[in-house]
Amino acid sequence: MATIVQKISNKSLSMAGQTFTFDSIADIESTQIDIFQLIGAPLVENCLAGFNSSVFAYGQTGSGKTYTIWGASNASLEECDQQGLTPRVCQRLFERINEEQERHADKQLVYMCRCSFLEIYNEQITDLLDRSQKNFQVKEANWELTASWTGDQLSDHLQDGGG
């Protein structure tokens, strides 16, 4: 059986005779902590620097998106090796906020965190924090997919407990 995709290095792979280069590549040997160090830790630091951040998981059904994002369904917060990206990012974010507030106690820093979890399936967007919120309008503009949901609507949703 011929190999369809071959990893050449940590930043490149070969497919059908063509080489593709990426910022990084996570393969089947990558652990949950590897994914967190590659994606989650920099994401948290960017958030603390004031940048909006997103994680987009894309792939076939059964390819491991849910496992990568959430971890094993039976993993508790104490079982660090099976935690997915989301619990690790949340834990690190609030640890870093506490560190920054302690380090700059004289400045009375205030942080505002907003979070949304959306699922796009068959061109239908569902709010995973409030499953009653469905049928968001899908728009295509220059190959970009956007949900017609304003920041104020998201803020109100989260202030109401997200559900």
Side-chain angles (χ1 to χ4, degrees):
M1 179 178 205
T3 302
I4 297 172
V5 177
Q6 180 181 11
K7 184 176 178 181
I8 297 171
S9 72
N10 287 335
K11 295 189 176 207
S12 63
L13 56 82
S14 174
M15 182 170 59
Q18 287 191 290
T19 299
F20 298 90
T21 303
F22 303 90
D23 292 333
S24 57
I25 297 173
D27 61 13
I28 197 162
E29 301 297 322
S30 300
T31 65
Q32 292 285 39
I33 192 68
D34 293 336
I35 299 300
F36 174 73
Q37 290 170 341
L38 185 65
I39 298 167
L43 180 138
V44 168
E45 295 307 315
N46 288 336
C47 286
L48 291 173
F51 295 99
N52 292 328
S53 297
S54 298
V55 174
F56 186 80
Y58 175 82
Q60 272 184 276
T61 299
S63 63
K65 298 176 300 295
T66 302
Y67 176 77
T68 302
I69 296 297
W70 292 106
S73 60
N74 62 350
S76 69
L77 292 178
E78 292 79 33
E79 295 181 55
C80 292
D81 61 328
Q82 293 297 308
Q83 282 183 347
L85 190 58
T86 300
R88 290 175 192 273
V89 165
C90 291
Q91 182 176 2
R92 174 70 62 90
L93 177 63
F94 290 108
E95 287 172 355
R96 290 287 292 119
I97 287 172
N98 287 336
E99 289 172 11
E100 290 298 311
Q101 287 176 326
E102 288 174 9
R103 186 178 337 197
H104 303 288
D106 57 320
K107 296 181 184 177
Q108 297 180 341
L109 296 176
V110 176
Y111 288 88
M112 181 187 308
C113 299
R114 292 187 177 157
C115 178
S116 60
F117 292 95
L118 302 176
E119 175 184 69
I120 303 170
Y121 184 75
N122 288 336
E123 295 190 19
Q124 182 172 345
I125 302 173
T126 302
D127 179 350
L128 296 178
L129 298 176
D130 181 359
R131 293 218 179 244
S132 70
Q133 296 289 325
K134 289 189 177 195
N135 300 319
F136 292 107
Q137 190 175 9
V138 176
K139 298 179 181 179
E140 288 186 44
N142 298 327
W143 296 97
E144 292 181 33
L145 184 66
T146 57
S148 295
W149 213 35
T150 68
D152 289 340
Q153 288 172 320
L154 176 59
S155 177
D156 291 345
H157 173 71
L158 293 175
Q159 287 174 359
D160 291 339

